[in-house]
Amino acid sequence: MYFSVIVTVYMVESYLRACIDSILAQSFKDFELILVDDGSPDNCPEICDAYKQADRRVKVIHQKNQGVTAARKSGLKETSGRYVAFVDGDDRIMPELLKRGYEKIEETGVEMVAFSCIHEYEQGNYTQIVHEPAKEGLYEKADIRKYTYPFILMDKKMRHMTYYISGKIISASLAKRYFLEVNEKVTLGEDMLGMVQIYREAGRVFISQEPLHIYRVRSRSGAHGFQMKHYGQICMVIEELRKLRENTYDWPDDFDRQILRYGAYMCFTLMIHAVNDGQLPRIKEIRKKMRHPLLEECIREARFKGISPKTGITFWLFRKNLFLTSYLFLRLCRRIKMLSK
């Protein structure tokens, strides 16, 4: 078996068939599809079982709801392929993704192929192609350090390697080594905790600008809608990153500063989500969460250069503990943008 494709499934009934069909329609046929039903309360379990009955390449795992990290681990433990690809249950992949991955692996012997993604925004009905900040090409170990380490988490200009595993084809040995050890309590940023270690460990990586993964951005999804618990998730990820720095070797010289920038950026992102979801009545609770010592440290110490005036003003307001003002400012920016369309 050359590829194992793992799909985590939870509350995606409206999208799941399109996701599975896009995988089964791959032009490269040597793969298995592992559907991990993470205790989904809708009709997803029945949809998974129907595809298993119809296609021998499909395996299904049913488990109690444990979160996306645990679901991916369950799928990884059942893989038999040499390489692994991950797809969320509401995403799709282009018909040639596995074929292109196979060609690059056979040509170069890489341990990972990273394709670009098409972000499909339901709110606003538009798409955006997201590329890695590193240029397309083959990266040997020294090149990986030279060209990806400066923004493996985030540089001063807010550039960063894509944190998610969507669009990545990874050797099964590397995927199991690093994703199986991710803390299952982390469900926001879990991709990145594995990906940074894979970039650190891999001997060869191919970065492609070809957009072959369609990543659906839903405002009410677990990753993109506002959830108060995400502040705690950011703190947990910062702690996990610092553990990695202490317990493993060969990180960028400025890794500590990149961690601070990552934490500050995520606070900014959550405030954007709060504005988009109309969370003004909860601003006192947001203020309390933002006053966590880890988040205060990130906001106070993170340094950026060349970022947008909107982002710079928001960070200044954060540092002054003017969270209501920052919320109203971002809401005004949003309204101006909408009126200008």
Side-chain angles (χ1 to χ4, degrees), residues 115-126:
F115 291 107
S116 296
C117 285
I118 302 169
H119 282 208
E120 189 175 77
Y121 292 83
E122 285 194 345
Q123 189 175 25
N125 191 29
Y126 70 98

Side-chain angles (χ1 to χ4, degrees), residues 198-228:
I198 287 171
Y199 273 111
R200 179 181 60 84
E201 181 67 21
R204 280 187 158 198
V205 169
F206 190 89
I207 294 176
S208 171
Q209 300 290 348
E210 193 172 8
L212 297 179
H213 188 114
I214 303 172
Y215 179 80
R216 191 186 301 272
V217 182
R218 296 185 288 134
S219 61
R220 298 296 179 180
S221 69
H224 298 283
F226 178 81
Q227 296 185 43
M228 200 66 69

Side-chain angles (χ1 to χ4, degrees), residues 3 5 18-29 31 85-88 90-102 115-120 127-129 166-169 208-216:
F3 293 114
V5 182
C19 171
I20 296 173
D21 288 343
S22 75
I23 298 167
L24 296 179
Q26 290 295 295
S27 57
F28 186 86
K29 303 299 183 183
F31 69 91
F86 297 89
V87 183
D88 290 341
D90 55 354
D91 291 352
R92 306 185 307 283
I93 59 176
M94 303 297 280
E96 63 272 22
L97 184 143
L98 294 183
K99 180 182 178 182
R100 293 283 193 273
Y102 169 79
F115 291 107
S116 296
C117 285
I118 302 169
H119 282 208
E120 189 175 77
T127 61
Q128 176 187 18
I129 297 178
S166 305
K168 311 291 195 304
I169 294 176
S208 171
Q209 300 290 348
E210 193 172 8
L212 297 179
H213 188 114
I214 303 172
Y215 179 80
R216 191 186 301 272

